[in-house]
Amino acid sequence: MTLNPLALPDTDDADAWTRFVDERADTALTRARAIVADLKDGSTRTADEVLHLWNDCDIEAANSSTFASLLSEVHPDPSVRELAEAKLQATTTFLTQRGQDRDLHKVLSEIDAGALDATATRLLEHVLRDFRRSGVAADDATRARLTEINDRLVVVSQEFSRNVRDDVRSIMITPDQLAGLPEDYIADHPADADGRVRITTDYPDLIPYLTFARDRSARLALSHESTNRAWPANDPLLHELVELRAELASLLGYDSWPDFDAEVKMIKTGDAIGEFIDRISALAESSAQKDFAVLLDRARADDPSITELFGADQSYYAELVRREQFDVDARQVRRYFDFTRVRAGLLTVTGRLFGISYEEVTDAATWHPDVTTYDVVRDGRRIGRIHLDLHPRDGKYKHAAQFDLVTGVSGRQLPEGTLVCNFPRELMEHTQVVTLFHEFGHLVHHVLGGDQQWSRFSGVATEWDFVEAPSQMLEEWAWDVDILQSFAHDADGQPIPADLVARMRTAKEFGRGYNARTQMFYAALSYRLHLERPADHTAMVRELQARHSLLAYLPDTHFQAAFGHLDGYSSGYYTYMWSLVIAKDLFSAFSADDLFAPEVAGRYRDAVLARGGSADATDLVADFLGRDYSFEAFGRWLGGDDADSAGHHRDN
């Protein structure tokens, strides 16, 4: 059966997009409400019939929200973004009401599950668990309050995210303060009529400046502005988010929001999050102290008065150490990573790895001319569609993420996903190339896992603390010399030298310990803000940074205000490192001599990615590895005893 992709408006007219958002969201939500009514109409149905109706409702609910979630972050017109936000709020209200509908719960809880297959049984178990976690058994007053909380959480979360997205700050510098930057960066930042140069907090400006600019005062000033984005606007919003989540968890009988949130993850309990953070911090201690001492010594060679390092120092001096001690100059490395060739190389590499191909759809309708669209083809059949929106613009999401556009359902809907990033249009840093591979891992997971009967298990539908593992593993393919030489060419067409890649691979391990400690600072902040709900969030930032990170707190900054993960990940930022543990173990199954070996690559695709959320992540990993996952590969890597010559890397 041939499935068609979603027909988007073939125009940049805001009114046409507004009508599209209105009609698609409202039509889907109307259908979802009608299905709920059908389920409660008293008809006699088999368990299979009930679940298929429930699945229909899930599909419609997703259709009313996934595209709206994307457009609220990427559409160029503010009115379209605002309407999309409103549609998301309506869907959330519907899902909250559905989850608290006692008559509907009675229908699902009383069906005879004896004839269901394993996947349908899993679906029913998840549905009944969701009812419980929605408060279906609570009294009327409690359920009413839960509805109020859920509705308000959506509004506050959207405002929090909007503030981060829209607050682009800048510093004004003199041309001499561009010293150290690559020539093309300098050329792209000419002085204005007053002889000043504007550097913004958008990633294509921010990252190179913090990495290469010699002027420490300017680096710190730019870092100060970036770390203060969305402050003070997000301070009351974050307090409200944390308090509302805590109240919701309490009303449902949980000791804390982390306990509520962790119940449906691999880690299971809130206490286990704290234990994991402490375990990783301890494991990274020796490596962190050793490399950080090198970093501090290098900074003191420039300025003997330096006694502590800030984030802006870390980027700059880590680059100097790599350049001086490992002979890796990122300014020279970047000349091999032209954006267009990198994008083409990414498609070639992942196509070969996963046994798929990408066919560009040049006449596809999208929301912006920057977007490129490809059909994903396997064995001559289109299995999905992807959209790559990879350059910054005003009003667009500021970080890097994969967004669903359409949830794939076997025989009914083609999976469609979008990669939203903020990369330069010309030369990329290698760290950005790694990020692109990482985020594309989510996108290919969405497509390959999108051939599911049950919408609930489609695509990246695993436990949240496993979601990052496939993406983190795919980063490894951005470090292989043969792979890089296939697309990393300079302006004269010469491939990146093998000896340079070898030095890059040696240099990349520098700082992994103190980087892990910084990650644990972020994880501890997301966890303890929700566990303890302090009156002064900035004070907790200072406390936890001092405890976990070797980098010093930058005075008069409020990192938490622009820490977007506090919205989507809430208390679960630990999931990045938890997933990395599993990613290192997954990668151990591949041979460094042939990262494209068909047997292992195909087995990984089919055992892990293609199954979506149809099984627990623990079982997906065990089916692929032939054993339970372990800390062994991760411990070797983090502790500095990495026997795997393929190398490891991770950027956030």
Side-chain angles (χ1 to χ4, degrees), residues 56-77:
D56 292 342
C57 187
D58 274 350
I59 292 170
E60 297 298 346
N63 286 345
S64 72
S65 62
T66 52
F67 83 103
S69 177
L70 170 67
L71 293 180
S72 73
E73 297 286 3
V74 301
H75 199 279
D77 192 280

Side-chain angles (χ1 to χ4, degrees), residues 271-312:
D271 287 346
I273 297 175
E275 293 166 2
F276 177 75
I277 291 168
D278 289 342
R279 179 179 184 181
I280 297 299
S281 289
L283 194 61
E285 173 70 13
S286 176
S287 173
Q289 293 292 349
K290 181 183 67 174
D291 285 354
F292 195 77
V294 173
L295 210 63
L296 188 57
D297 285 346
R298 179 58 188 84
R300 285 172 173 163
D302 281 352
D303 182 354
S305 69
I306 291 177
T307 59
E308 58 186 4
L309 298 180
F310 304 103

Side-chain angles (χ1 to χ4, degrees), residues 47 173 367 504 535 648:
I173 61 173
W367 50 93
M504 289 164 58
H648 302 277

Side-chain angles (χ1 to χ4, degrees), residues 95-107:
L95 291 174
T96 300
Q97 292 170 345
R98 186 183 73 162
Q100 295 179 358
D101 190 322
R102 290 176 173 174
D103 293 333
L104 188 59
H105 175 252
K106 187 173 187 293
V107 172

